[in-house]
Amino acid sequence: MAIEIEQFMCLSDNFGVLIHDRESGETALIDAPEEGPILKAIERTGWKPSTILTTHHHTDHVQANLALKEKFGLTIIGPKAEAAKIPGIDRQVAGGDTLHFGGEPVRVIDTPGHTAGHVSYHFPQSGVVFTADTLFALGCGRLFECPPETMFASLKKLAALPGTTRVYCGHEYTEANARFALTIDPGNSALAARAEEIRKLRAAGKPTLPTTIERELETNPFLRWHDAGVRNTLGMAKAVDVEVFAEIRKRKDNF
Ligand code: ZN
Ligand code: FE
């Protein structure tokens, strides 16, 4: 059976996520952005977490670690490359490692770019990936610690997952991302339709996630470096893929 997922808002635009395996009763958190909303979600669902799967060291992803550890005695798992910056970390992982949750394997994927040690967690049996601040709906994370080549390689790995994989991200940035995407890919009718759908969801106060790999491939400009229309808009018809990606990232930084 697929994992159950409870997604909720934390801070101003972070997502908190609880995942649950009904059979074993096991529960985990993806990151720990804010104690209050996490405790409410635990109360609402009755799912008591035993683990935090940490994606990267930024404060808005780890700041409730110690408080939750004290309350629930949970095990904190996170990227080896950032272990020194992750409060309360118990177990260090890296790309290629396989963890277990409920009855299913969890693949750790190295997805550096936003930070140098960022990891994503892929549940192949449930068809879900948690990408935090690497791949966003219609966007990608800012490059704080790495050159564009690094994020480009990470996004390519995520893009290669099965198209039906559901993608959960770290932030609700989708509406602003859509406005930017339309400037890069104005001839993309799937993007125009999605932007309209997103506008309606946000006006109704609803989340725009999860998305899927397939949808992102069709509409996310950070995965469309190969597209002739995108390249023409940028005046980069003959550039290599990573240069097109870097230009899109640069324009987003200044948008
Ligand atoms: Zn971050
Ligand atoms: Fe973040």
Side-chain angles (χ1 to χ4, degrees):
M1 201 205 299
I3 54 167
E4 295 176 67
I5 299 171
E6 173 82 3
Q7 179 182 250
F8 48 93
M9 295 312 298
C10 291
L11 305 169
S12 58
D13 53 37
N14 279 73
F15 282 111
V17 173
L18 275 170
I19 62 174
H20 182 70
D21 174 67
R22 197 179 288 177
E23 218 155 292
S24 63
E26 204 176 329
T27 300
L29 276 156
I30 309 296
D31 289 333
E34 190 184 11
E35 188 186 2
I38 291 172
L39 292 178
K40 276 195 198 121
I42 291 169
E43 207 174 298
R44 187 163 68 237
T45 55
W47 302 346
K48 193 171 154 274
S50 59
T51 309
I52 300 176
L53 297 175
T54 305
T55 60
H56 68 294
H57 70 83
H58 283 160
T59 310
D60 62 321
H61 296 258
V62 301
Q63 62 188 350
N65 276 16
L66 295 179
L68 294 170
K69 189 171 192 173
E70 199 176 331
K71 281 206 169 71
F72 299 101
L74 37 69
T75 301
I76 299 176
I77 297 173
K80 186 176 183 175
E82 300 184 356
K85 299 178 197 160
I86 296 171
I89 190 166
D90 298 294
R91 180 168 173 199
Q92 304 179 17
V93 295
D97 288 353
T98 301
L99 305 167
H100 294 276
F101 180 79
E104 75 175 289
V106 183
R107 288 177 51 227
V108 181
I109 308 175
D110 278 329
T111 51
H114 176 69
T115 64
H118 193 299
V119 295
S120 297
Y121 296 97
H122 180 214
F123 293 63
Q125 282 178 19
S126 289
V128 180
V129 67
F130 298 95
T131 61
D133 295 1
T134 300
L135 176 64
F136 289 126
L138 294 180
C140 80
R142 269 180 187 270
L143 309 182
F144 286 118
E145 300 177 5
C146 299
E149 290 75 13
T150 308
M151 178 62 99
F152 177 72
S154 294
L155 291 174
K156 271 181 137 174
K157 280 190 219 172
L158 295 172
L161 296 175
T164 52
T165 307
R166 284 171 293 152
V167 181
Y168 286 82
C169 320
H171 293 268
E172 179 61 74
Y173 289 159
T174 317
E175 196 170 16
N177 286 346
R179 277 197 292 277
F180 172 72
L182 287 166
T183 69
I184 299 296
D185 201 1
N188 184 338
S189 58
L191 172 61
R194 188 175 178 196
E196 181 54 20
E197 195 182 302
I198 286 161
R199 200 191 53 73
K200 284 185 188 149
L201 283 171
R202 294 311 293 153
K206 291 185 180 148
T208 61
L209 291 167
T211 176
T212 63
I213 293 294
E214 212 162 42
R215 270 199 121 185
E216 294 312 308
L217 288 172
E218 275 170 15
T219 52
N220 186 330
F222 295 96
L223 299 179
R224 294 178 56 75
W225 51 72
H226 51 80
D227 182 78
V230 167
R231 285 166 165 264
N232 280 337
T233 302
L234 297 171
M236 299 181 80
K238 298 225 158 68
V240 299
D241 290 347
V242 68
E243 282 171 12
V244 178
F245 168 76
E247 175 63 22
I248 298 170
R249 187 57 257 180
K250 198 172 89 192
R251 289 189 185 209
K252 177 68 164 68
D253 289 341
N254 301 316
F255 183 67

